[in-house]
Amino acid sequence: MANDKHKRFTAYLVAVTPVSETDSQPADAVYAAVRQSPAEAVSAVRALVEGEARVAVVGSLSARTTKAINLQPGEVRII
């Protein structure tokens, strides 16, 4: 039985770019999504995005930065 208390989370940086200029989304946005995998981070951000957009992981935050800006496991925040 795996111990849920010791799951590893990473603050992934996820970029959102609208498919066309007529979309209601801003030109470009970057979110920090604290998840266990890049796929989970993309899914979490895609759920927040309205309309068609390209969503991709473009990096991650260090544990030190994640703690400094008080990001919690499961949280998604625009950066």
Side-chain angles (χ1 to χ4, degrees), residues 5-74:
K5 191 173 186 175
H6 296 289
K7 289 184 177 180
R8 296 274 182 182
F9 287 88
T10 301
Y12 294 98
L13 294 174
V14 182
V16 177
T17 306
V19 174
S20 69
E21 293 181 19
T22 60
D23 288 342
S24 61
Q25 286 294 116
D28 291 304
V30 176
Y31 291 82
V34 184
R35 294 291 196 265
Q36 291 181 317
S37 72
E40 288 179 14
V42 167
S43 294
V45 172
R46 193 175 300 278
L48 298 175
V49 175
E50 296 177 10
E52 290 290 317
R54 290 182 292 273
V55 180
V57 172
V58 294
S60 63
L61 297 175
S62 68
R64 185 180 214 174
T65 301
T66 301
K67 185 175 180 179
I69 62 175
N70 199 28
L71 281 170
Q72 302 299 315

